[in-house]
Amino acid sequence: MRVHDTAAHGRLVSTRLANGLTVVAQEDRVLHGLHVHLRYDVGSRHEPLGLHGVAHFIEHLMFEGTPGHPDFFGELQRGGAWDVNASTSQDRTAFFMTVPTALLPRALAMEADRMAHLPRALDEAALARHLALIRREEEERTRGPLAEAPGHLFADAFPPSHPYRHVSMGDTKALARLTPERVAAFHCEHYRPERATLVVVGDLPAETAVDAAAASLGTVDRGPAPPLHPPSSPSPPGHPARSDDARSRADADGGGTRWAVCPPGIPPQVYVLAHTAPYGTREHAATTVLAAVLGRGKGSRLFRRAVRDARVARPATELTAAWHLERDSSVIFGSATATPGTSGAQLLAGVQEILTSVAHGLIPGELERAVRLVRREQLERLDDPAARAETFATHASLHGDAWKAYATAEAIADVTEEEVVRSARECLPSATYLVYDHPARNTPEAAA
């Protein structure tokens, strides 16, 4: 058992149970109730070809109930739980809730039941019900005129075999062909105690929370490990591949640009994605600061130069952000919208010039401002108990120590200008761009 008695917010305990489940618990006496976060190390990057979207599908199916708890959601709500929800990303699936302290043993017993017995509740009717829900989510996600832009950008930035290339929402046509047996096989392969991390944060002694986990989730038999079916091997970061159907052109530094038709009434837009070091590394801390230098707030370089000075982009509080991907590569993602009279090509040229300029160094005060923004955001995230529980789960899974969530936030203060500039030189030249322009000027030739 690992114990951090001096951790901010309260005593932090972590241990691995006999069946492989990692448990992290923190007593925070300021809180009323418990924030429970259960992370499974399975996301869209673990899906083999033909099963894109199955992790998100199972996230939905986990609320279907089991023979022991057929009304999973309702039973928790009647017990006083709130904020009962889940999410799926490229790297993980997470189930979370806030519960009265007295409800914890039952809530964890219910989690143990669906970890061990969900496949017994799967049939064609259950799959059809939740597929309909996912289709509604897909309709909402694609409702905007440029809603599919991030998906196109990821498809251009990663090669066809890369596990980060497809979105976690998945392919509903492929999901419609799945059988209960195939879904159950994926669940049995990945939703196992040794691939899970439980975090409990709240007004309960940490050892008591660990004991409650051991009495419930700790009893799930992991059994013989089924053979894992890994996705195709990823390519090295910084070497994006462009999809065959994209009209792409390599720039002088090796990046690529796709030109697309902008819908009527929508101003031209530019999207950019650059590969960076994976989340949790020292290099990723520098790229997080770099993203703030480039596009966080009115003091950022993109705002000052593209919005205020050149007036080619419309104001936005966040023009770039660091996305947290855990294996092979994270990314910096950004977008800008053109001002009236500005073409997509003009906006692209302005954005590229500004991104390139960071490689020549920072101006006085630029680093301090960005570090202050990022550090404040990360510390505020740790002050939020639900976000803290998620961050603990991530660091426990990646580094074997939930306390590193605090160390990572504090390490932002030590990021140097040299590290930020080096990050810019390494990741921005090979960035991938997606430009939406109007039909008369949406080609490289028209942009010349």
Side-chain angles (χ1 to χ4, degrees):
M1 180 177 291
R2 188 191 299 267
V3 180
H4 294 282
D5 285 316
T6 59
H9 303 102
R11 190 163 183 266
L12 182 64
V13 170
S14 59
T15 189
R16 185 179 292 271
L17 303 182
N19 64 353
L21 179 81
T22 297
V23 181
V24 177
Q26 183 178 52
E27 181 181 9
D28 187 342
R29 298 180 180 179
V30 173
L31 304 178
H32 298 285
L34 302 171
H35 295 267
V36 179
H37 185 100
L38 180 61
R39 169 190 164 121
Y40 289 94
D41 291 329
V42 55
S44 60
R45 72 178 177 87
H46 298 89
E47 299 163 350
L49 293 176
L51 287 181
H52 289 171
V54 67
H56 179 231
F57 196 17
I58 289 179
E59 174 208 314
H60 278 258
L61 289 166
M62 289 283 266
F63 289 98
E64 175 70 15
T66 63
H69 300 279
D71 184 14
F72 190 91
F73 192 83
E75 184 174 346
L76 284 172
Q77 284 193 319
R78 289 189 295 273
W82 68 99
D83 291 338
V84 181
N85 214 327
S87 68
T88 303
S89 72
Q90 290 95 335
D91 296 298
R92 58 93 185 116
T93 301
F95 299 89
F96 41 90
M97 66 183 86
T98 305
V99 302
T101 303
L103 186 65
L104 181 66
R106 194 202 315 176
L108 295 185
M110 292 170 67
E111 289 288 8
D113 191 44
R114 63 177 176 177
M115 178 188 288
H117 301 132
L118 178 73
R120 293 166 53 192
L122 299 181
D123 55 25
E124 296 287 354
L127 267 59
R129 281 194 299 274
H130 290 276
L131 182 60
L133 294 174
I134 291 174
R135 282 177 171 149
R136 284 202 291 272
E137 282 188 23
E138 185 178 49
E139 290 173 1
E140 294 175 359
R141 181 180 62 86
T142 59
R143 188 169 295 165
L146 302 180
E148 295 185 351
H152 290 318
L153 194 60
F154 269 76
D156 281 356
F158 291 95
S161 61
H162 199 287
Y164 282 150
R165 188 173 191 261
H166 61 276
V167 297
S168 57
M169 182 70 70
D171 180 355
T172 53
K173 293 182 180 178
L175 294 178
R177 296 191 293 268
L178 289 177
T179 64
E181 292 75 20
R182 188 66 189 92
V183 175
F186 190 87
H187 179 276
C188 292
E189 182 177 1
H190 293 283
Y191 297 76
R192 303 166 54 83
E194 73 274 21
R195 293 176 60 82
T197 300
L198 172 72
V199 180
V200 180
V201 173
D203 60 350
L204 186 70
E207 284 81 3
T208 304
V210 171
D211 290 343
S216 51
L217 285 159
T219 66
V220 176
D221 182 10
R222 63 181 174 184
L228 291 176
H229 300 285
S232 302
S233 299
S235 63
H239 293 80
R242 291 169 287 281
S243 57
D244 295 336
D245 61 344
R247 288 183 299 170
S248 303
R249 53 181 174 140
D251 63 23
D253 295 309
T257 304
R258 174 202 284 237
W259 297 81
V261 175
C262 195
I266 302 298
Q269 312 243 346
V270 169
Y271 294 83
V272 58
L273 186 150
H275 296 274
T276 70
Y279 175 63
T281 62
R282 173 69 184 183
E283 294 79 8
H284 185 267
T287 60
T288 304
V289 174
L290 171 62
V293 166
L294 290 171
R296 289 288 304 280
K298 294 182 178 180
S300 67
R301 192 167 292 203
L302 278 167
F303 194 98
R304 287 185 290 106
R305 297 192 183 182
V307 176
R308 191 179 63 197
D309 296 342
R311 298 186 179 181
V312 295
R314 303 188 185 207
T317 56
E318 185 172 275
L319 293 163
T320 58
W323 282 19
H324 296 163
L325 303 177
E326 298 174 2
R327 297 290 188 273
D328 178 49
S329 166
S330 281
V331 297
I332 286 178
F333 178 87
S335 64
T337 303
T339 53
T342 300
S343 69
Q346 291 170 324
L347 180 60
L348 173 66
V351 169
Q352 288 180 320
E353 186 278 326
I354 294 166
L355 297 188
T356 303
S357 69
V358 182
H360 304 299
L362 305 182
I363 64 174
E366 206 166 26
L367 175 67
E368 291 78 8
R369 173 196 163 275
V371 165
R372 187 169 60 251
L373 278 174
V374 174
R375 186 168 180 269
R376 183 181 65 194
E377 179 184 74
Q378 295 198 1
L379 292 176
E380 287 177 349
R381 182 169 176 79
L382 289 172
D383 281 338
D384 178 279
R388 190 195 320 160
E390 180 181 10
T391 307
F392 283 166
T394 300
H395 284 277
S397 176
L398 290 181
H399 308 121
D401 189 355
W403 180 84
K404 287 192 175 181
Y406 291 113
T408 299
E410 293 297 343
I412 291 294
D414 298 327
V415 171
T416 66
E417 178 178 349
E418 180 183 3
E419 289 175 309
V420 173
V421 172
R422 182 168 61 247
S423 176
R425 290 172 178 170
E426 290 175 352
C427 73
L428 295 178
S430 58
T432 301
Y433 294 88
L434 170 61
V435 184
Y436 284 92
D437 207 346
H438 294 292
R441 54 192 187 190
N442 70 333
T443 66
E445 295 76 15

